[in-house]
Amino acid sequence: MTTFKAIVINKTDGGQAVQLTGFDERDLMDGDVTVRVDYSTVNYKDGLAITGKAPVVRRFPMIAGVDLAGTVVSSTHPAWRPGDNVILNGWGLGETHLGAYAETARVKGDWLVRLPAGISAREAMAIGTAGYTAMLAIMALERAGIEPKRDPLVVTGAAGGVGSVAVALLAKLGYSVIASTGRPQEADYLKGLGASEIIARNELTGPVRPLGKERWAGGIDAVGSTTLANVLAMTRYGGAVAACGLAGGMDLPATVAPFILRGVSLLGIDSVMCPLPLREQAWQRLARDLDRSKIAAMVSEIGLDDVIAAGRRIVEGQVRGRIVVKIG
Ligand code: NDP
């Protein structure tokens, strides 16, 4: 019997129990590629899964962790050979398929993206689903005609994972970035990532008017709810907002006024089932457009034994930037 270390979530009478424990390799799920996991990361969704605050996990027992960077150990998939360096984001990893907080994963070869040249496994997980989602949001804004000009873009939840990478990417691409945060003490951090202006979270959590003063050409929203409704109401004519998160709530108490009177577009971003060609493009863009020194500024590193505590902290909004988990 071969066992490896993993963060395992089990169902209990009162809810769920999560622990770092040994996992029998024979209990891995079907897949045509076996991967040695080198690094993972802690995203907001991982925090929801670990704490059980939202029904992320849909099979028990589950190994948590929605992201991995690793090395192929064995493969019957035509695209992958032992020694290949790969990334996996989403596709149900850590939700319906045994996940990334483990020394070994068995997955579908069709889910894997080749680690882009110039990015290390650690950097890939410092970016993680949060950063790859930020890139998907930027690509959606570009498709909607948004380009670096004088008008700023707003990023909400800016000191979090999606927000931090979005600020760094947009600044490098030449945008003027307004960062919205509930943590004024992170102003210097956000300016270091490239934000040109910091606004308080509560400027966007007040009552929503159908239309407000036009403040930005668009933005990337990781918060949802009243925040997203206010961002839309303050978007200038013809602008676009990419919505990817719900850290402030799942609802959207908005009116249609920004859409029908200002031609504003609301762009939905999903990283989990995103088609492979778009993923590959996003990772190539991340390799090109993300300043490495900014990754270093936003990342902290933990081991598997600290993941459960980190999962709790991220849902409380206490994590700055990105956490990588060293596994291999
Ligand atoms: P983080 O926890 O790292 O960042 C979220 C940030 O949102 C916090 O840092 C905080 O930023 C802000 N925030 C937290 N709570 C509240 C609140 N109650 N009201 C307003 N702002 C709040 O999470 P991630 O960056 O990993 O994920 C961000 C969101 O994006 C999550 O909802 C996540 O589920 C979603 N997501 C969606 C994906 C997709 O495929 N659509 C993929 C990845 C993430 P600050 O302190 O600066 O205000």
Side-chain angles (χ1 to χ4, degrees):
M1 179 175 93
T2 309
T3 61
F4 56 83
K5 279 194 286 179
I7 305 277
V8 179
I9 303 177
N10 277 292
K11 210 172 179 53
T12 62
D13 289 343
Q16 65 173 44
V18 52
Q19 60 174 336
L20 175 60
T21 184
F23 195 89
D24 188 339
E25 194 163 329
R26 289 173 303 186
D27 292 333
L28 281 172
M29 292 166 74
D30 287 347
D32 45 12
V33 181
T34 301
V35 178
R36 185 190 74 224
V37 184
D38 298 320
Y39 285 93
S40 184
T41 175
V42 182
N43 298 284
Y44 189 82
K45 186 187 258 180
D46 297 309
L48 292 176
I50 285 168
T51 57
K53 283 203 169 157
V56 171
V57 176
R58 276 165 283 147
R59 173 229 196 247
F60 295 93
M62 174 52 69
I63 296 177
V66 305
D67 274 340
L68 66 81
T71 311
V72 173
V73 174
S74 63
S75 165
T76 55
H77 188 284
W80 305 111
R81 295 208 168 79
D84 284 346
N85 297 121
V86 293
I87 307 171
L88 202 169
N89 309 104
W91 290 122
L93 199 70
E95 300 181 62
T96 52
H97 192 94
L98 292 172
Y101 297 147
E103 292 168 310
T104 305
R106 185 167 304 128
V107 298
K108 293 196 174 141
D110 289 348
W111 294 345
L112 297 170
V113 170
R114 200 169 295 279
L115 186 71
I119 291 193
S120 67
R122 185 177 186 276
E123 284 171 331
M125 286 300 100
I127 296 166
T129 287
Y132 139 72
T133 301
M135 191 74 239
L136 290 177
I138 289 171
M139 287 159 52
L141 290 170
E142 290 170 351
R143 287 195 299 276
I146 302 294
E147 51 189 33
K149 281 188 301 194
R150 223 157 35 86
D151 306 312
L153 294 187
V154 67
V155 174
T156 65
V162 173
S164 293
V165 182
V167 169
L169 281 167
L170 290 171
K172 171 105 187 296
L173 290 167
Y175 291 92
S176 165
V177 183
I178 299 177
S180 162
T181 182
R183 291 180 276 179
Q185 69 274 21
E186 300 300 355
D188 286 346
Y189 162 73
L190 290 166
K191 288 201 167 148
L193 294 181
S196 48
E197 188 184 339
I198 312 295
I199 62 170
R201 179 195 290 180
N202 61 18
E203 282 193 40
L204 300 175
T205 53
V208 184
R209 288 187 292 153
L211 293 174
K213 181 169 175 257
E214 296 181 45
R215 293 178 74 175
W216 32 71
I220 297 178
D221 175 63
V223 174
S225 191
T226 310
T227 301
L228 175 55
N230 272 312
V231 165
L232 288 165
M234 296 176 191
T235 298
R236 56 163 286 183
Y237 194 92
V241 177
C244 64
L246 44 58
M250 181 80 125
D251 60 328
L252 181 55
T255 75
V256 296
F259 312 128
I260 64 173
L261 297 175
R262 286 192 185 152
V264 168
S265 299
L266 177 57
L267 313 170
I269 306 300
D270 168 58
S271 65
V272 177
M273 303 307 288
C274 174
L276 195 58
L278 212 51
R279 288 171 186 260
E280 289 171 336
Q281 199 188 335
W283 278 103
Q284 291 303 329
R285 288 282 307 269
L286 284 159
R288 193 185 80 194
D289 294 337
L290 186 57
D291 183 339
R292 298 296 153 70
S293 66
K294 302 289 193 263
I295 301 183
M298 66 176 85
V299 74
S300 56
E301 183 174 308
I302 62 172
L304 263 183
D305 42 359
D306 286 327
V307 163
I308 296 172
R312 293 190 180 120
R313 280 192 292 122
I314 201 166
V315 289
E316 287 162 10
Q318 288 174 12
V319 169
R320 179 177 98 174
R322 303 277 303 131
I323 298 175
V324 293
V325 183
K326 183 168 169 45
I327 295 177

